[in-house]
């Protein structure tokens, strides 16, 4: 990305042009690779015209130090805390017109340390001692908008597929979603969940009841029930709702939708951005 910024790379120019069309005050970007000094994000933020940004090292590609996949070797992509060929792969990043600070970070929380967790029966003691729940990251961020502060809960859950009969990814996906609900309960005041949770409440694979439970949370409003956010194709899950932007009910909501990319560069993401318009301060 650092190399391609400013060189007319088709995919980057496509993203920057679509971001300008949407013209959001804040973006939660998924699958944004992390680099130690934040060079890629700072340059991308400047190219997109945003004064503030936030990121931290994700669990993607972070080696666990144990043989998580049981292949008898260490250091493979499936031995990392979250799927990844290198440390920092597929992280999250936030761009904002207003200051962003970290309120809480659950990214390092061990799966086995969560009282309500449902771990695979095949997970041995060595794996339980090191395996984090979050496959990418779980952040609570404070954004200081002119109308007042807002908490943004950002996450990216693992897809509930690509495993075996032990259903490791399905169990992990469900607990990552439950962790978002726990984080919501821990904060007061207006908030928005902005996350790719990789499961549809009525279609496709995964524990659909868990996302349905989050959508029915009494503090949350679901502005786009039933809308499709990604088309994986008929052979890979089809049209699903997997990306969510969910405001709390104490926020004014003046609009919501999905920005349809339509045609896009070859190999580009099949996910379309989800947006909402909210009003601050509370009560306006």
């Amino acid at each position: 990305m650092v190399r391609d910024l400013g060189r007319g790379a088709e995919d980057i120019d496509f993203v920057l042009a679509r971001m300008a069309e949407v013209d959001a005050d804040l973006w939660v970007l998924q699958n944004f690779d992390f680099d130690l000094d934040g060079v890629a994000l700072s340059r991308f933020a400047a190219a997109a015209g945003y004064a503030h940004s936030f990121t931290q090292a994700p669990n993607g590609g972070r080696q666990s130090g144990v043989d998580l996949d049981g292949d008898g070797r260490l250091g493979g992509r499936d031995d990392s805390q979250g799927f990844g060929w290198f440390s920092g792969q597929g992280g999250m990043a936030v761009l904002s017109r207003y200051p962003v600070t970290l309120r809480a970070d659950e990214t390092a929380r061990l799966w086995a340390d969560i009282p309500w967790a449902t771990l695979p029966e095949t997970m041995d003691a060595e794996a339980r001692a090191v395996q984090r729940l979050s496959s990418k990251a779980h952040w609570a961020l404070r954004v200081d908008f002119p109308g007042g502060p807002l908490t943004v809960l950002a996450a990216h859950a693992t897809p509930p597929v690509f495993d075996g009969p032990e259903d490791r990814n399905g169990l992990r996906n469900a607990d990552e979603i439950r962790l978002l609900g726990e984080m919501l309960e821990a904060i007061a005041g207006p908030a928005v969940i902005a996350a790719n949770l990789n499961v549809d409440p009525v279609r496709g694979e995964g524990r659909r009841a868990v996302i349905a439970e989050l959508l029915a949370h009494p503090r949350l409003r679901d502005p786009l029930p039933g809308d499709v956010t990604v088309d994986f194709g008929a052979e890979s899950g089809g049209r699903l709702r997997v990306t969510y932007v969910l405001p709390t009910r104490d926020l004014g909501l003046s609009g919501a939708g999905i920005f349809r990319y339509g045609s896009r560069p070859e190999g580009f993401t099949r996910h379309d951005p989800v947006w909402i318009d909210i009003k601050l301060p509370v009560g306006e």
Side-chain angles (χ1 to χ4, degrees):
M1 181 179 291
V2 172
R3 179 198 62 200
D4 288 344
L5 275 166
R7 290 179 48 177
E10 181 184 13
D11 54 352
I12 292 179
D13 287 349
F14 180 85
V15 171
L16 292 173
R18 301 295 84 75
M19 290 178 69
E21 287 184 61
V22 177
D23 195 30
D25 287 324
L26 182 138
W27 289 89
V28 176
L29 304 175
Q30 306 286 3
N31 287 322
F32 198 107
D33 293 345
F34 173 86
D35 65 89
L36 182 61
D37 296 320
V39 176
L41 180 58
S42 63
R43 294 190 183 181
F44 185 80
Y50 286 85
H52 303 276
S53 61
F54 176 85
T55 191
Q56 286 194 151
N59 285 331
R62 180 191 290 268
Q63 282 298 312
S64 66
V66 304
D67 180 17
L68 292 179
D69 60 0
D71 65 356
R73 294 174 293 181
L74 297 177
R77 65 182 188 182
D78 293 318
D79 295 327
S80 59
Q81 295 288 359
F83 179 86
W85 293 97
F86 58 87
S87 184
Q89 183 176 358
M92 300 193 304
V94 175
L95 300 183
S96 176
R97 293 194 170 110
Y98 306 105
V100 180
T101 53
L102 183 66
R103 287 190 58 180
D105 184 4
E106 297 288 350
T107 303
R109 193 168 176 186
L110 293 182
W111 195 355
D113 284 351
I114 296 175
W116 42 260
T118 306
L119 280 74
E121 294 181 0
T122 55
M123 183 179 287
D124 61 25
E126 187 178 35
R128 288 170 182 252
V130 300
Q131 178 67 77
R132 299 177 177 190
L133 170 57
S134 182
S135 56
K136 296 294 180 71
H138 277 71
W139 301 330
L141 304 170
R142 173 183 168 126
V143 185
D144 287 304
F145 288 100
L150 174 73
T151 299
V152 175
L153 299 174
H156 187 167
T158 192
V161 290
F162 311 123
D163 52 15
E166 82 288 348
D167 197 25
R168 181 180 186 275
N169 290 341
L171 293 170
R172 190 178 188 183
N173 173 276
D175 279 354
E176 288 188 88
I177 295 170
R178 292 187 182 103
L179 180 57
L180 265 182
E182 180 182 280
M183 294 173 70
L184 178 65
E185 294 291 341
I187 61 172
V192 173
I193 288 176
N196 179 357
L197 298 180
N198 267 315
V199 66
D200 187 296
V202 296
R203 300 177 292 271
E205 297 194 44
R207 284 166 162 72
R208 297 190 294 272
V210 176
I211 182 60
E213 182 179 358
L214 180 67
L215 292 172
H217 193 289
R219 285 191 63 195
L220 293 176
R221 179 183 297 173
D222 183 1
L224 297 168
D227 278 20
V228 170
T229 65
V230 65
D231 187 351
F232 289 122
E235 297 181 358
S236 301
R239 291 163 53 81
L240 300 172
R241 184 189 188 194
V242 299
T243 305
Y244 300 87
V245 182
L246 306 171
T248 50
R249 292 185 176 275
D250 52 1
L251 284 166
L253 181 68
S254 57
I258 299 170
F259 183 84
R260 302 297 181 187
Y261 280 138
S263 61
R264 60 196 81 192
E266 183 178 355
F268 192 74
T269 179
R270 289 171 286 188
H271 297 264
D272 290 323
V274 180
W275 60 266
I276 61 171
D277 279 337
I278 56 175
K279 294 182 179 181
L280 285 168
V282 176
E284 275 198 354

